[in-house]
Amino acid sequence: KQEKDKSYIKAGELSFYLDEMYVLKQYRSLGVGKLLFDFIEKEAKEKGCKLILLNAVSKDYKKLLKFYIDLLGFEFWSAFLLKKI
């Protein structure tokens, strides 16, 4: 339950935060990630959550964005960028 208003969620709203979801390399591109996420989304809805929040980490941002935005329907909200120097 959100305690304070933020730009993307109002105080009092229920949300589900997905800390980490990982599919082993040999099972990628087989629909396993989507099945896992569909289960999580169903459970979150049943518990009254209005949002699912997550940090997604990958060296291949194009595949990451395709999965979360194109396949699962997430909105792009922010980016955390890293540059090794």
Side-chain angles (χ1 to χ4, degrees):
K1 190 172 190 179
Q2 183 64 30
E3 291 183 16
K4 297 178 182 178
D5 280 346
K6 294 200 173 198
S7 61
Y8 54 91
I9 186 171
K10 299 281 184 206
E13 284 189 329
L14 293 177
S15 63
F16 181 86
Y17 179 73
L18 179 58
D19 184 46
E20 193 167 353
M21 184 173 80
Y22 184 82
V23 176
L24 295 172
K25 200 170 206 170
Q26 66 264 31
Y27 299 108
R28 293 179 192 159
S29 300
L30 299 175
V32 174
K34 180 156 181 5
L35 285 172
L36 285 170
F37 184 80
D38 289 347
F39 174 79
I40 291 166
E41 184 173 17
K42 180 179 176 274
E43 291 292 312
K45 282 181 183 177
E46 287 176 4
K47 296 197 179 351
C49 295
K50 301 297 181 197
L51 294 170
I52 295 177
L53 312 168
L54 64 84
N55 275 333
V57 179
S58 175
K59 291 180 181 176
D60 189 344
Y61 74 90
K62 290 179 183 177
K63 279 186 182 178
L64 180 143
L65 293 175
K66 181 177 169 117
F67 179 72
Y68 285 105
I69 293 175
D70 295 342
L71 185 62
L72 298 181
F74 275 79
E75 294 177 34
F76 185 86
W77 195 258
S78 68
F80 175 84
L81 303 172
L82 175 113
K83 180 178 181 178
K84 293 181 180 180
I85 56 171

